[in-house]
Amino acid sequence: MQITEIYKSIQGESTHAGLPCVFVRLTGCNLRCSWCDSEYTFSGGHRMTVEEIVDEVEHLSVSGLVEITGGEPMLQEREVVPLMQRLLDDGYTVLLETSGERPLERVPKGIVKIVDVKCPDSGEADSFHMNNLDALDSADEVKFVLSTRADYEFARDFVARHNLAGRVTAVLFSPAFRKDAVGSRDSSHCLLDPRELAEWMLADDVPARLGLQLHKFIWDPAMKSV
Ligand code: SF4
């Protein structure tokens, strides 16, 4: 499959935030989110076999945690599904980061899906494939990246309408980060002030977890492969 990079870092998001993790970043995405910080994955990369990827993961891994990400990994479903199954069989905890625009029913059982439902101001509203709600299981997580009050209200109402908190391990609300952010490692780069988001969540009693992208606060926000 076409791979942009494989590297080890600290997991920055989800309920696994803070843990060492190997990231397998696949090339290609069919969306164009306005705040995307992974545009370098849209093209390029290099071909790798399942065996070559597994060898590299084994070489880097200390914790047994692996994330398959992109781009959009499910664009390469024919090859990424066997890779995920192989990593599971080898005993890894495997996270799949996906927009949910592609069908998810063939993702192997045991993979933790982290589904990033796009909000209106991402510019990719309605890209989530609603049938994928039926593919969610209790170990999965659903994330909303928010840049405005309108995004927040969309996410809040989506969570309530589909009883997401009752379906998955965690619902995550995360402020979008400015994609051209460089230098200081603080929340001034967030498109939505985390404090404002926290106050809205408390006021509405939203059953979600506020998440900040840890890696943006540990390293320079412009740094790749972290
Ligand atoms: S789905 Fe992810 S990789 Fe694709 S444009 Fe959106 S943020 Fe970027």
Side-chain angles (χ1 to χ4, degrees):
M1 70 206 80
Q2 200 71 13
I3 298 291
T4 294
E5 57 186 355
I6 302 176
Y7 60 94
K8 180 165 65 177
S9 187
I10 296 291
Q11 176 59 251
E13 304 178 71
S14 83
T15 61
H16 294 79
L19 293 172
C21 182
V22 175
F23 292 82
V24 179
R25 190 178 291 284
L26 277 68
T27 306
C29 189
N30 52 345
L31 302 187
R32 291 294 180 268
C33 303
S34 55
W35 35 253
C36 177
D37 63 357
S38 304
E39 291 171 329
Y40 64 103
T41 67
F42 291 170
S43 60
H46 54 281
R47 299 286 308 166
M48 289 181 79
T49 64
V50 167
E51 278 312 314
E52 288 168 335
I53 295 168
V54 169
D55 284 351
E56 184 64 12
V57 168
E58 192 180 332
H59 172 68
L60 292 171
S61 181
V62 284
S63 66
L65 183 65
V66 182
E67 177 171 305
I68 308 293
T69 186
E72 172 48 61
M74 291 306 288
L75 291 177
Q76 300 187 63
E77 179 186 318
R78 191 172 54 82
E79 293 168 290
V80 81
V81 166
L83 170 66
M84 291 190 284
Q85 187 61 60
R86 170 65 191 277
L87 290 167
L88 277 180
D89 293 345
D90 286 356
Y92 291 99
T93 299
V94 185
L95 315 178
L96 168 68
E97 173 94 18
T98 175
S99 71
E101 190 275 339
R102 300 275 101 188
L104 297 177
E105 66 258 20
R106 283 180 290 279
V107 174
K109 198 165 173 49
I111 297 290
V112 177
K113 300 185 284 296
I114 300 174
V115 182
D116 184 353
V117 177
K118 302 303 178 188
C119 297
D121 287 309
S122 69
E124 291 292 359
D126 302 323
S127 57
F128 177 71
H129 186 55
M130 292 303 285
N131 288 349
N132 280 331
L133 286 174
D134 297 330
L136 293 175
D137 72 34
S138 57
D140 293 335
E141 307 187 13
V142 179
K143 180 172 77 169
F144 298 86
V145 178
L146 312 171
S147 57
T148 59
R149 172 78 193 183
D151 282 353
Y152 166 74
E153 289 178 1
F154 165 84
R156 177 196 64 193
D157 296 348
F158 191 103
V159 170
R161 191 175 327 117
H162 301 292
N163 183 29
L164 280 192
R167 290 175 185 248
V168 293
T169 284
V171 177
L172 311 161
F173 280 16
S174 183
F177 224 77
R178 222 175 280 284
K179 68 179 177 183
D180 55 359
V182 287
S184 63
R185 298 168 291 156
D186 59 56
S187 63
S188 63
H189 296 304
C190 292
L191 292 171
L192 179 61
D193 183 350
R195 176 174 170 173
E196 203 164 15
L197 175 57
E199 287 169 359
W200 295 342
M201 291 172 72
L202 290 169
D204 291 338
D205 215 5
V206 178
R209 179 188 297 238
L210 195 160
L212 299 175
Q213 293 176 292
L214 270 186
H215 48 292
K216 306 279 194 193
F217 293 82
I218 297 172
W219 291 282
D220 187 306
M223 201 161 154
K224 303 284 184 290
S225 305
V226 292

